[in-house]
Amino acid sequence: MKEANLLAAINRPGRYLGEEFNAVVKDWESAAIRFALIFPDLYEIGMSHQGLQILYHIINNQPEFLAERCYCPGKDVEQLLRKTETPLTSLENGYPLANFDVLGFTLPYELCYTNILTVLHLAGIPFYTSDREEQHPLVIGGGACAMNPEPVADFFDAILLGDGEEAMVEIAETLAGAKKASREEKLALLEDIDGIYIPKYFSVKYNGVRIHSITRTQGKGGLPIRRRVISDLSNISHLKKPLVPNAKIVHDRLGIEVARGCTRGCRFCQAGITYRPVRERSPEQVLELAKAGIANSGFEELALLSLSTGDYSCIEQTLPPLMDMFVQKYISVAMPSMRVGTLTPAIMEQIKRVRKTGFTLAPEAGSDRLRRVINKGITEEDLLASCGDAFRLGWKLIKCYFMTGLPTETKDDIEAMAELARKILATGKATKDDPSNALTNIKKGGSPQVNISVGTFVPKPHTPFQWQRQITVDESMAKLDFLRKKLPKKNCNLKYHNPKVSWLEGVFSRGDRRLAQLLVAAWQKGARLDGWNENFNPELWRQAAEELQMDIDSYLRERDMEEILPWSHLTTGVSDQFLRDELAKAQEESYTPDCRYHQCQKCGLCDFKTLRPIVYNRNKTLAAATSCEPEKNAPEKEQHFKYMVHYSRRGKICYLGHLEILQLIFRTLHRAEIPVHYSKGFHPSPKVSFGPALPVGTESMAEYFIMDLFRPLTSLEEAQKRLNETLPRGLVVEKIEFSAQIPQKMLVDYQITLPAAITVEQQQKIDAFLAAERFPLCRIRKRKSKEVDIRPLITTIRGEDASTLHLQMRSESTLPGAKPIEVIEEILQLPKEESTKVKILKKKWHALQ
Ligand code: SF4
């Protein structure tokens, strides 16, 4: 979105600016094939997603192809785009989505399906493939939900099953070689790519709630369509130059995928099947990617990603050199998906060297019995041992994730959740009281705490539990009520995922093609951004289903083992028999070991020629580890060198908020290797002081910050150059000077450009203002009104030319101030729609004695 008047009128404009550091803006005209990669949720979720970024860089690394990004807009922007008849555009070049050759949608979770419709509608592209014409882009999907894409199959021309890194390049090459071909011809060519599924080539017939048949009616090849799997991650280029968001996002950090696939074999887990086999990266590559990624981004946190990071065979060899590399730069290392039993005290000790990230366990079920049913492979003893280690190492809050509604669950299993919470608290208390643990945080203050999070179990396609029934919303609520009564009353909090959201997730998770019409009907009734609690409205879905006479609850029913499932024509490569055997083993509570460290469990996927698990030797010594010397960047005696950095802020970047600018500057200092001091304490942050916050939308030629360094800069010009090379577009360092006092009082000059020439009436208002002794401005904040006299704040206001004013204001850190736009609105009595068109430029300031 480029139009300033639109940006000025929306929530969180930082979502729509683009221009992130490391964003790739290629020449539109010279690209043979242009992809718009779309994440169907808000920017803060989509930018946290690794998969889209990986594909973005892979495509853009090919000189002849181009990829740009687009995220689902918020409801306010959707309305504004419709009102102004503005099409949805990409972030990089700002082209309408309809101008691209391919719209590549990520399908991350079921509750974003209506967002796909929002994006298509704003792009002016028909929902159904059958309604699209030659000029429309091809709409291709892929991602976690692709293994049962049937509820959205009618909206997609093609769907990629499985890993996208190689297939995306093949898609681009195929389409580049068929520029003049018709849509039909292009789809026929795409079908030759391994992992590509063309939904319209298949016909589905129904018999009541069941599927009668799925048959191929077009195209070639047999059934089922098999998921694409890349055999070795080390051959795939990873993110060395990750996108650095300007706005706040959910996972604001560098992610390094240390392994893909998990072979633990939890029977409820879809990813455990659909990302098999396990493929680890070499520890040398992990270190190299971490070093390059942090240097090129400035992130303060590194996350080692995989379905179960603790199972990465070289974790204990990789963590110490990683920490040595980053600890003095205050970069923390997070491992968001740890498993009980893999969190050894040695690993925990490493994690807490910089910042203690949350200590989260996922017992999933309350009792050992139910954990045997789901093949979790951990016992209460394991859980309590991990909690004891965490308490001893200084954590005082343990978070536990559970599911309710798992197959065979009884009241005893729910009661066991409460009992486990009680035992965790007792473990914490015993640690606190243990005199040998004198250094724990619990000892210093505060009681041990436990947070219990509970979600409703949703049976997923391609898992051993795919045939199981999902409990109803009422059953789920009753179980949660029962749990609430049983939980300890003190030091224990219960949080739960809305069972109604799980209900809808369950409908789509095992849904079929008939749900496309429900999606469109609910979207027409206003269903938007359903994954966000504040937007989710189950009544809309119920009404839409009633009008269509659909029994949507039937999608939660138990499935007959012999019936055709909506995804029966698609395969992960894991055999159907393996899933059936696993279900039988669940009923017997019998254990299936992990094929990463034990023998092959014969799931049917690997041929052991082209595809096999890739696991590095636990005892392998790391060449890279020994070469990663800790950086000695702090002198022994602490010294302070303060510099004032003057910078300008022009263009779209002025729509970022103050906190977003702070974060962006911290990361720039890191990328430019400026030796900044960090504060002490639990969350160290760079010692940088900023001038008064600039209102969102205001441009400035006169911003500053003061940085406190532990080493003097050898050359101010060189530091300025380094900073400018790593700042995002729109921010420019104009000057750096040694030593600086934060000015307490100053005069600030603004240039105000009005949307039209200053009228006689407006000039009279300015004259009246200047003649007045007082000029109160009434503000309402948190429902309280407060009056500020703005007259003493204004030293000058006069016309510079026909539509430009010069405004000079006093700014004092101890007195209430006013924003220039407030002043102009008040003096000229501008209506809101006019004031969004006013442009403000802060030109200069000078300190007052
Ligand atoms: S075939 Fe064997 S080794 Fe390969 S993923 Fe399946 S169980 Fe593991």
Side-chain angles (χ1 to χ4, degrees):
M1 190 184 285
K2 290 195 184 302
E3 295 78 1
N5 57 329
L6 297 189
L7 287 168
I10 60 178
N11 294 324
R12 301 199 57 191
R15 288 169 174 163
Y16 309 97
L17 299 182
E19 300 195 358
E20 300 92 339
F21 193 73
N22 290 330
V24 185
V25 184
K26 291 177 94 169
D27 178 35
W28 177 266
E29 294 304 330
S30 58
I33 291 292
R34 301 167 188 126
F35 284 83
L37 298 181
I38 300 159
F39 194 92
D41 209 324
L42 296 178
Y43 179 86
E44 48 267 44
I45 304 288
M47 267 293 279
S48 304
H49 190 260
Q50 279 267 311
L52 185 136
Q53 272 208 53
I54 291 172
L55 298 181
Y56 174 78
H57 286 289
I58 283 178
I59 296 170
N60 281 324
N61 281 345
Q62 310 282 327
E64 66 277 33
F65 306 134
L66 162 158
E68 304 199 351
R69 291 163 300 134
C70 180
Y71 303 92
C72 184
K75 292 207 279 190
D76 59 332
V77 171
E78 184 192 343
Q79 276 172 16
L80 191 68
L81 292 176
R82 286 195 206 298
K83 196 170 137 200
T84 55
E85 297 183 0
T86 309
L88 187 60
T89 56
S90 62
L91 281 181
E92 281 77 3
N93 270 308
Y95 276 96
L97 296 189
N99 291 17
F100 285 80
D101 297 295
V102 177
L103 303 190
F105 278 91
T106 306
L107 300 173
Y109 31 78
E110 294 82 358
L111 290 169
C112 69
Y113 286 167
T114 50
N115 305 340
I116 298 171
L117 301 182
T118 303
V119 171
L120 288 174
H121 199 259
L122 290 172
I125 295 167
F127 292 158
Y128 290 96
T129 54
S130 52
D131 295 334
R132 291 186 196 133
E133 295 177 1
E134 285 300 328
Q135 79 275 13
H136 291 123
L138 289 177
V139 180
I140 300 181
C145 288
M147 288 313 300
N148 179 27
E150 293 305 282
V152 290
D154 288 347
F155 309 141
F156 283 90
D157 298 302
I159 289 170
L160 173 68
L161 313 183
D163 297 330
E165 287 92 338
E166 294 168 341
M168 282 301 273
V169 177
E170 291 167 26
I171 291 169
E173 286 168 348
T174 303
L175 294 176
K179 287 290 276 185
K180 299 234 157 63
S182 66
R183 288 178 80 79
E184 283 304 321
E185 289 164 339
K186 286 176 187 166
L187 291 180
L189 290 168
L190 289 182
E191 207 199 6
D192 289 336
I193 297 172
D194 284 347
I196 287 284
Y197 161 53
I198 313 281
K200 71 173 191 171
Y201 287 0
F202 295 82
S203 160
V204 185
K205 294 218 163 28
Y206 302 93
N207 178 13
V209 294
R210 292 180 174 218
I211 290 176
H212 175 264
S213 63
I214 302 176
T215 47
R216 182 188 273 279
T217 53
Q218 217 182 322
K220 44 198 179 291
L223 280 176
I225 312 285
R226 191 175 158 120
R227 171 177 69 109
R228 182 74 178 259
V229 186
I230 54 172
S231 56
D232 190 347
L233 286 193
S234 58
N235 302 331
I236 299 295
S237 74
H238 193 277
L239 298 173
K240 284 203 176 143
K241 293 191 165 183
L243 293 167
V244 186
N246 291 331
K248 187 86 191 126
I249 64 169
V250 176
H251 297 306
D252 201 358
R253 61 194 183 192
L254 173 71
I256 303 285
E257 189 187 29
V258 297
R260 192 170 297 178
C262 172
T263 41
R264 285 281 180 174
C266 298
R267 294 181 177 122
F268 57 85
C269 178
Q270 188 181 39
I273 298 289
T274 57
Y275 289 98
R276 285 184 178 216
V278 68
R279 290 147 288 164
E280 293 186 347
R281 277 187 199 283
S282 74
E284 288 84 1
Q285 197 184 28
V286 170
L287 288 169
E288 182 201 319
L289 291 171
K291 196 171 180 182
I294 289 289
N296 291 328
S297 65
F299 281 118
E300 312 72 24
E301 184 175 310
L302 162 75
L304 300 181
L305 304 177
S306 107
L307 289 169
S308 175
T309 303
D311 285 326
Y312 174 52
S313 67
C314 300
I315 193 73
E316 290 199 17
Q317 293 101 313
T318 311
L319 263 185
L322 263 183
M323 288 297 188
D324 289 345
M325 201 168 3
F326 294 135
V327 75
Q328 291 192 27
K329 292 180 174 178
Y330 299 96
I331 294 160
S332 59
V333 177
M335 296 195 289
S337 53
M338 293 298 287
R339 192 177 178 285
V340 176
T342 63
L343 263 172
T344 62
I347 292 176
M348 291 192 223
E349 192 73 63
Q350 290 295 333
I351 298 173
K352 68 169 210 156
R353 279 174 66 186
V354 180
R355 288 179 201 110
K356 272 198 290 300
T357 46
F359 191 87
T360 305
L361 301 174
E364 318 285 1
S367 67
D368 279 347
R369 183 202 71 80
L370 193 47
R371 280 192 289 273
R372 285 195 297 275
V373 169
I374 62 177
N375 204 46
K376 189 69 194 172
I378 52 167
T379 61
E380 187 175 280
E381 203 183 325
D382 302 328
L383 284 159
L384 294 177
S386 286
C387 292
D389 290 338
F391 285 128
R392 264 185 293 281
L393 286 165
W395 274 274
K396 65 174 184 179
L397 171 69
I398 307 279
K399 300 179 195 167
C400 291
Y401 283 112
F402 292 98
M403 275 185 281
T404 185
L406 283 163
T408 78
E409 184 187 64
T410 64
K411 271 192 167 180
D412 290 347
D413 298 307
I414 297 173
E415 217 164 333
M417 290 183 204
E419 195 50 35
L420 185 58
R422 203 164 279 115
K423 287 179 181 168
I424 291 173
L425 291 175
T427 305
K429 187 164 180 316
T431 314
K432 183 181 173 183
D433 296 341
D434 181 352
S436 64
N437 289 311
L439 292 177
T440 63
N441 276 3
I442 303 174
K443 190 84 186 170
K444 286 181 198 159
S447 300
Q449 300 270 335
V450 61
N451 279 358
I452 302 291
S453 291
V454 186
T456 303
F457 165 62
V458 176
K460 293 284 180 177
H462 303 285
T463 66
F465 290 161
Q466 64 180 352
W467 296 279
Q468 297 294 300
R469 170 180 174 267
Q470 180 173 339
I471 60 171
T472 63
V473 172
D474 289 347
E475 285 171 284
S476 191
M477 291 308 296
K479 284 171 190 268
L480 288 166
D481 273 351
F482 179 74
L483 174 64
R484 188 181 291 111
K485 287 179 194 140
K486 296 285 175 185
L487 282 173
K489 300 288 173 273
K490 269 183 76 182
N491 302 323
C492 177
N493 289 315
L494 171 66
K495 290 183 186 163
Y496 59 86
H497 188 61
N498 182 352
K500 292 180 181 171
V501 174
S502 303
W503 161 76
L504 192 64
E505 183 189 337
V507 170
F508 285 110
S509 172
R510 292 189 295 165
D512 56 39
R513 288 188 184 185
R514 289 175 288 191
L515 290 173
Q517 52 177 334
L518 177 73
L519 275 163
V520 173
W523 181 85
Q524 285 166 340
K525 287 181 176 298
R528 298 287 189 280
L529 297 162
D530 298 283
W532 296 79
N533 263 336
E534 63 268 35
N535 293 315
F536 179 63
N537 181 353
E539 278 320 300
L540 287 181
W541 292 92
R542 289 269 179 216
Q543 283 167 20
E546 245 170 60
E547 284 169 24
L548 293 166
Q549 297 184 335
M550 287 180 79
D551 175 13
I552 45 175
D553 291 315
S554 67
Y555 287 99
L556 307 188
R557 72 191 163 87
E558 185 177 353
R559 311 294 167 100
D560 192 319
M561 295 289 281
E562 302 317 314
E563 90 179 69
I564 298 171
L565 301 170
W567 53 93
S568 288
H569 55 311
L570 311 174
T571 178
T572 60
V574 172
S575 74
D576 196 46
Q577 191 54 50
F578 178 78
L579 301 182
R580 287 167 191 268
D581 291 347
E582 280 298 295
L583 181 60
K585 285 172 90 175
Q587 279 144 6
E588 295 159 9
E589 297 173 28
S590 100
Y591 183 56
T592 301
D594 182 343
C595 70
R596 186 183 324 221
Y597 298 120
H598 300 83
Q599 79 244 44
C600 169
Q601 301 300 311
K602 300 194 171 29
C603 78
L605 181 66
C606 301
D607 59 8
F608 297 97
K609 292 184 193 116
T610 58
L611 199 59
R612 70 210 176 288
I614 297 181
V615 181
Y616 285 83
N617 186 345
R618 266 186 184 279
N619 301 320
K620 186 173 171 171
T621 48
L622 270 177
T626 50
S627 66
C628 289
E629 286 288 311
E631 290 209 8
K632 295 182 178 60
N633 53 2
E636 280 174 13
K637 185 172 178 304
E638 193 166 289
Q639 289 186 289
H640 294 265
F641 304 91
K642 293 195 177 180
Y643 294 83
M644 182 179 261
V645 179
H646 299 264
Y647 68 101
S648 58
R649 181 173 156 183
R650 306 294 301 267
K652 285 200 290 177
I653 207 131
C654 72
Y655 288 96
L656 293 180
H658 185 60
L659 293 178
E660 291 165 335
I661 288 284
L662 261 56
Q663 178 74 284
L664 190 155
I665 284 175
F666 292 162
R667 288 176 178 171
T668 303
L669 293 172
H670 193 143
R671 289 193 292 264
E673 298 184 339
I674 303 293
V676 188
H677 270 299
Y678 272 68
S679 61
K680 308 276 183 293
F682 198 62
H683 287 292
S685 61
K687 283 194 169 177
V688 181
S689 312
F690 287 83
L694 195 66
V696 172
T698 302
E699 293 186 274
S700 175
M701 294 157 65
E703 292 306 286
Y704 70 87
F705 61 86
I706 293 169
M707 52 189 190
D708 181 356
L709 310 189
F710 55 77
R711 192 170 60 214
L713 295 171
T714 46
S715 157
L716 298 184
E717 291 72 26
E718 163 63 16
Q720 181 180 353
K721 183 166 166 276
R722 280 209 315 269
L723 283 168
N724 279 334
E725 281 167 359
T726 51
L727 272 167
R729 198 160 79 178
L731 291 181
V732 177
V733 172
E734 307 289 353
K735 189 172 75 170
I736 303 179
E737 56 185 334
F738 183 66
S739 182
Q741 284 289 321
I742 298 177
Q744 300 299 315
K745 296 180 186 178
M746 58 174 113
L747 282 178
V748 187
D749 291 87
Y750 296 95
Q751 178 184 293
I752 314 287
T753 307
L754 300 171
I758 303 160
T759 62
V760 174
E761 201 188 354
Q762 283 175 331
Q763 187 55 54
Q764 286 167 351
K765 286 179 176 153
I766 292 170
D767 294 342
F769 172 82
L770 290 171
E773 286 197 357
R774 289 190 79 245
F775 203 94
L777 180 150
C778 184
R779 279 201 196 115
I780 299 181
R781 299 258 160 91
K782 295 183 184 163
R783 296 203 193 137
K784 284 189 188 154
S785 80
K786 196 177 169 200
E787 207 173 75
V788 181
D789 182 8
I790 58 172
R791 183 61 194 89
L793 299 177
I794 313 299
T795 53
T796 307
I797 176 165
R798 59 180 154 74
E800 275 194 333
D801 60 34
S803 60
T804 310
L805 294 169
H806 172 214
L807 171 72
Q808 189 180 65
M809 292 177 67
R810 294 174 73 90
S811 170
E812 292 189 29
S813 57
T814 51
L815 294 178
K819 295 177 186 172
I821 189 65
E822 285 179 311
V823 169
I824 295 299
E825 276 174 2
E826 198 67 22
I827 296 175
L828 301 184
Q829 292 295 299
L830 283 184
K832 250 298 170 249
E833 57 276 17
E834 281 297 292
S835 72
T836 59
K837 297 178 193 159
V838 174
K839 288 203 175 80
I840 300 178
L841 172 64
K842 181 174 165 186
K843 291 193 79 173
K844 61 181 192 306
W845 59 268
H846 66 267
L848 293 172
Q849 289 303 317

